[in-house]
Amino acid sequence: MPPEVISLLSSPEVEPRSTSAAVNTKSSRVPPSAQKHIPNDDLDYDTFDLTADDVPPISASKTPATKEPGLGTFDLTGDSQELKSIKGSAPPKPSPRRPLGRSQSVVIPLDDSDEDIVADPLSDDGDDFPDISDLRFPANRTTSDLSGPTKRPFTKSASTTTGATRTKSTGGAKKTAEERAREREDTALEKKAAAERKKQEKERERQQKAEEKQRAAARAEANKLKIRKETATPEMIVDLPSSLDQAAKIKAEEFLKKIDVKEINTWTSPVDNVVRWRRVVKARYNEERHHYDPIPETIETEKFSLVILPAAEFAKLAMGAEGHNLEAHVLKMQRHFPGHQTIYLIEGLKQLLSKNRNKRNNDFASAVRSRLAENESATASSSRRTTSKKNDPPVAINESLIDTALLQLQLLYSMQIRETTCPQETSHQLQLFTQQLAIAPYKRRHEDYLMKSAGFCMDSGQVRTAIGPEEAYVRMLQEVSRITAPMAMGIANEYPSVGRLVKALEGGGPGTLEDVRRVINKEGEVGEKRVGKAVSKRLWKIFTGRDEMSTEV
């Protein structure tokens, strides 16, 4: 509240009036004409009274009333305007310095007329000021505060809230705290669950990486080139028959241990003296992708069987009666080993045939000698004849039957035959069979791959290799038909490079190499023999010809 209103309310001469005329302090100034005649210090409010009779009436049609926002209504004609301005406002007094802010001043008129009171737009019309006794001031407010109050910007503080609002706010604060606690718990649970999921994902990724690494290692191990005997033989398991001679079995085990087979077992074969092989399989060949895929370890039986037959037993089968001959033995093998490729290993057949020939020759010589002795001595004692009958030689082996049996095995039954001379050689052949059987599937796959990619066999020994360019040049000349090593070395001595040879053939014609002498030894010594006209002409056609379809090579 402005200090002028407070001073007027506290004065006993002024009766409280209605606050319906409120104007802005800046617009309620005393007119300059009034300020010239009435000084601020000499103005006496008790004796100076202006009434409506002192002011001559002014027609409203001449000068219309003007009302500005926040100002009282006043006339704009002559002295009447100045007097009404003086009548409607108190003399301005210097006010203390106020802070920047929006403020309003209230002007209370001094006369009793209600028409001249200007309505305050901020207050309700018809309301009177309360009594001074009804006004309540803070206890801690001093007199200095009454003389010069300062207008503070309107802010809603916590003290202005009501009890209900305060209770509601408190309740809301408690609810918010509970919600925050619940949110913190939910957030902690979510973080824990997210950390657990992240940990599980990392563990899963780690396991996947480990499994992928294991699969890659297994795939690399499965696709190793196993065309060498040292790498493929450890997969083999050899089963020796229990009917095999003990000395031969011991010798076979010694040879098999040298090549590091996986196992050596003894088994009861349905046919006497049959050796079988098994393989530990860890990979399977993929025909579509052309590589090996790792599989769980399994043991597969190889489709090969080896029959070890002594020569005497084989001769017995070859000359045996029906049902006990070689044909019966082959049918028995096919019945017990279906789909197997059978190998007959015959031990000591050559020695048996040699002994049979020697015995036959000896029998013939002894028969001739006995005949001569009988002619010389016509009489022979009975005891001597009896002794000669007791020493008759055994039945001779028919070699033609043996040869027929061997041909039947190869041509009629498609059997493979190997002959050995002693048990040690038999054990060595068993060792070789095991090694070749171990590399057989891998070598076949490798050869098929080379044939598809290169178009020709690239096995070792198929292509001649050389150490230097000179040796390669000599080997190149030897690839020509009917060019021997001495001829090639003699031509290389005369023409050390291919360029010189081509130039000589182009300049000299078909007979350029006719008189070139051949080399007789590895040291390069030249002999008397010459290359010849035919070889010279053939080389001339090869190196100087332009016919793509030529077959001179």
Side-chain angles (χ1 to χ4, degrees), residues 295-417:
I295 60 173
E297 182 176 321
T298 57
I299 297 177
E300 296 181 357
T301 302
E302 293 292 329
K303 298 297 183 180
F304 288 87
S305 56
L306 176 67
V307 182
I308 300 177
L309 287 177
E313 186 175 352
F314 178 77
K316 184 178 180 180
L317 292 173
M319 297 182 299
E322 186 176 357
H324 300 281
N325 55 6
L326 185 61
E327 182 180 1
H329 189 274
V330 171
L331 294 176
K332 189 177 181 180
M333 285 293 299
Q334 293 177 351
R335 182 172 65 254
H336 290 285
F337 300 94
H340 282 225
Q341 186 172 354
T342 306
I343 305 171
Y344 278 86
L345 185 62
I346 304 173
E347 179 182 336
L349 182 60
K350 290 182 179 180
Q351 288 82 351
L352 180 63
L353 295 177
S354 178
K355 288 181 180 179
N356 182 60
R357 295 190 192 98
N358 294 334
K359 182 178 178 302
R360 188 175 54 192
N361 293 334
N362 294 334
D363 290 344
F364 178 77
S366 62
V368 170
R369 283 194 295 268
S370 63
R371 291 283 183 170
L372 293 175
E374 288 178 358
N375 293 331
E376 290 179 357
S377 59
T379 60
S381 63
S382 59
S383 59
R384 185 176 178 183
R385 291 177 183 175
T386 306
T387 304
S388 63
K389 289 181 180 179
K390 291 181 180 179
N391 294 331
D392 286 341
V395 179
I397 297 175
N398 192 349
E399 293 188 8
S400 62
L401 295 177
I402 299 295
D403 294 337
T404 303
L406 293 175
L407 291 175
Q408 287 179 352
L409 287 176
Q410 299 181 55
L411 299 178
L412 295 181
Y413 306 112
S414 301
M415 303 293 179
Q416 294 186 14
I417 300 174

Side-chain angles (χ1 to χ4, degrees), residues 107-340:
V107 178
I108 300 174
L110 299 179
D111 56 349
D112 297 332
S113 61
D114 294 335
E115 292 81 8
D116 297 333
I117 298 176
V118 181
D120 188 1
L122 301 177
S123 62
D124 297 334
D125 295 339
D127 294 341
D128 296 336
F129 285 106
D131 295 338
I132 298 177
S133 61
D134 296 333
L135 295 176
R136 294 181 181 180
F137 298 94
N140 57 355
R141 190 168 183 178
T142 60
T143 310
S144 61
D145 297 333
L146 296 174
S147 61
T150 57
K151 186 75 174 179
R152 295 183 179 179
F154 177 78
T155 56
K156 186 176 181 180
S157 61
S159 62
T160 60
T161 58
T162 61
T165 308
R166 188 180 296 106
T167 305
K168 185 177 180 181
S169 300
T170 307
K174 289 183 179 179
K175 186 177 180 181
T176 304
E178 293 176 358
E179 291 178 354
R180 289 178 179 175
R182 194 179 298 107
E183 289 178 358
R184 285 195 295 270
E185 292 178 0
D186 295 342
T187 305
L189 292 176
E190 290 179 359
K191 288 183 178 179
K192 187 176 180 180
E196 188 67 22
R197 287 195 301 271
K198 190 174 182 180
K199 184 178 179 181
Q200 292 178 359
E201 290 178 359
K202 287 185 178 180
E203 185 67 22
R204 195 180 301 109
E205 291 178 358
R206 191 181 300 110
Q207 292 179 358
Q208 290 178 357
K209 289 182 180 179
E211 292 176 358
E212 185 64 27
K213 188 179 294 184
Q214 291 178 359
R215 285 195 295 269
R219 193 179 298 110
E221 182 68 22
N223 285 276
K224 282 185 176 180
L225 192 61
K226 296 182 180 180
I227 59 175
R228 299 182 61 183
K229 301 175 183 179
E230 295 81 3
T231 58
T233 306
E235 298 178 352
M236 302 304 296
I237 299 175
V238 182
D239 296 330
L240 297 177
S242 57
S243 58
L244 189 64
D245 184 62
Q246 190 65 26
K249 185 184 296 184
I250 294 174
K251 187 68 68 175
E253 289 178 356
E254 291 179 359
F255 275 85
L256 292 175
K257 288 179 181 179
K258 293 180 182 179
I259 58 176
D260 296 329
V261 295
K262 189 174 183 62
E263 293 180 8
I264 301 175
N265 300 326
T266 301
W267 76 302
T268 302
S269 174
V271 182
D272 293 341
N273 299 339
V274 176
V275 180
R276 71 175 182 180
W277 292 274
R278 292 179 295 167
R279 183 190 300 271
V280 178
V281 180
K282 298 181 181 179
R284 189 79 63 191
Y285 188 75
N286 193 332
E287 296 289 346
E288 296 179 355
R289 299 183 179 180
H290 303 288
H291 67 76
Y292 286 90
D293 293 330
I295 60 173
E297 182 176 321
T298 57
I299 297 177
E300 296 181 357
T301 302
E302 293 292 329
K303 298 297 183 180
F304 288 87
S305 56
L306 176 67
V307 182
I308 300 177
L309 287 177
E313 186 175 352
F314 178 77
K316 184 178 180 180
L317 292 173
M319 297 182 299
E322 186 176 357
H324 300 281
N325 55 6
L326 185 61
E327 182 180 1
H329 189 274
V330 171
L331 294 176
K332 189 177 181 180
M333 285 293 299
Q334 293 177 351
R335 182 172 65 254
H336 290 285
F337 300 94
H340 282 225

Side-chain angles (χ1 to χ4, degrees), residues 11-30:
S11 175
E13 293 82 7
V14 181
E15 184 179 357
R17 301 293 296 274
S18 176
T19 61
S20 60
V23 294
N24 197 325
T25 308
K26 296 180 181 180
S27 302
S28 302
R29 295 191 300 271
V30 180

